[in-house]
Amino acid sequence: MGKTSKDKRDIYYRQAKDEGWRARSAFKLLHVDEAYGILNGVQRAVDLCAAPGSWSQVLSRKLYDACETDDEKAAVKIIAVDLQAMAPIRGILQLQGDITKQSTAEAIIGHFGGNEKAQLVVCDGAPDVTGVHEMDEYMQHQLLVAALSIATCVLETGGTFVAKIFKGNATSLLSSQMQIFFKKFDIYKPPSSRPSSIEAFVVCSDFCLPEGYIPQVINPARDDIRLLAQKTGSEVNRRLVPFIACGDLNGLSDPKRDQTSPSDKYKSYVEYVYDSVMDDASYPLEFKEILAQVYDEQFHIN
């Protein structure tokens, strides 16, 4: 948390100090909850990129401290994941791990025990900002892909996912990617987020894996995405993973099949992205021309 004169004048900075929050960002999650009720009825939650721990504090106070009996507290399981350790928080189990690795997802599920999974996954992580908007947006999207992919491994059906994004030209694509896994999707900028900031938060609910999709932890900066998708043996993964990782529409077509009649389900995903991009004046004409060519080749449009 910064200590510039601007921060000291900020109402949420001062309020965070007064109320014992580790960072003013705690209010962002509180405001998301006020707007969407994401904490209602939740007993199992995961905080990704948790350090220094302000969002974990919110989960602790709202889910753990609010319990009236020891039995109720025992039923609450909150896991905070980060590469670095942080000071203990009541009711929070800390896991030092890399969210881009499958072993971290397996460790999270192991801590829940039995067949239980998380009802809520949150992520306030962000890369070091360079000041170059396009680069910052790209790096944040890579982090979001990692958070989303691990969420597909640890979330139960019907679960909720909240994560930071940097708003930009890829918002329409992001919407399409998220709606593969969630029936409800929204982008929300809480009042505690500074007006000058490009950050916002995706709020996704009613999680449901596409039929035939096998959850995988994806790291676009490290993995050969197509090879990773092929390892599962799932045709659905082979089509969707490249699209999830980098918006690659080619992943939704199958060269071994008759592409003149792709399944209506996956064709709708492609059409959704295509129409959104073509209607968005912010996308360069050169990009639209390339996209149109790929789309025409996929569906043999003359």
Side-chain angles (χ1 to χ4, degrees), residues 76-221:
V76 174
K77 298 179 180 179
I78 307 169
I79 301 173
V81 184
D82 203 287
L83 286 171
Q84 65 185 67
M86 60 187 189
I89 301 173
R90 289 187 306 274
I92 304 294
L93 189 154
Q94 292 190 40
L95 174 63
Q96 281 187 258
D98 185 343
I99 68 168
T100 68
K101 293 186 176 180
Q102 188 72 34
S103 58
T104 302
E106 294 168 356
I108 292 172
I109 295 174
H111 283 305
F112 283 131
N115 296 320
E116 291 185 329
K117 288 189 174 183
Q119 298 163 300
L120 171 69
V121 173
V122 299
C123 179
D124 190 35
D128 293 332
V129 177
T130 66
V132 180
H133 178 69
E134 292 79 5
M135 176 62 72
D136 293 338
E137 182 187 353
Y138 172 79
M139 295 303 296
Q140 180 62 26
H141 185 72
Q142 303 308 297
L143 181 60
L144 178 63
V145 168
L148 171 64
S149 63
I150 200 170
T152 64
C153 296
V154 305
L155 262 181
E156 69 177 18
T157 300
T160 300
F161 175 67
V162 176
K164 178 183 291 184
I165 62 166
F166 289 164
K167 295 184 70 174
N169 291 341
T171 301
S172 296
L173 175 61
L174 173 64
S175 172
S176 183
Q177 289 168 320
M178 291 294 174
Q179 290 187 64
I180 293 175
F181 299 104
F182 299 92
K183 296 179 181 178
K184 298 178 182 178
F185 167 84
D186 201 5
I187 295 177
Y188 176 66
K189 186 174 179 66
S192 47
S193 177
R194 294 187 180 92
S196 60
S197 173
I198 62 173
E199 74 171 4
F201 295 87
V202 293
V203 183
C204 310
S205 56
D206 286 352
F207 171 69
C208 183
L209 283 174
E211 184 177 354
Y213 183 84
I214 299 174
Q216 289 183 279
V217 176
I218 302 168
N219 182 353

Side-chain angles (χ1 to χ4, degrees), residues 2 7 15 34 49 56 63 69 120 179-180 218 238 247-248 250 271:
D7 287 327
Q15 191 173 346
E34 289 176 5
C49 304
S56 290
L63 305 182
T69 68
L120 171 69
Q179 290 187 64
I180 293 175
I218 302 168
R238 198 191 62 74
D248 185 351
N250 286 321
E271 290 175 337

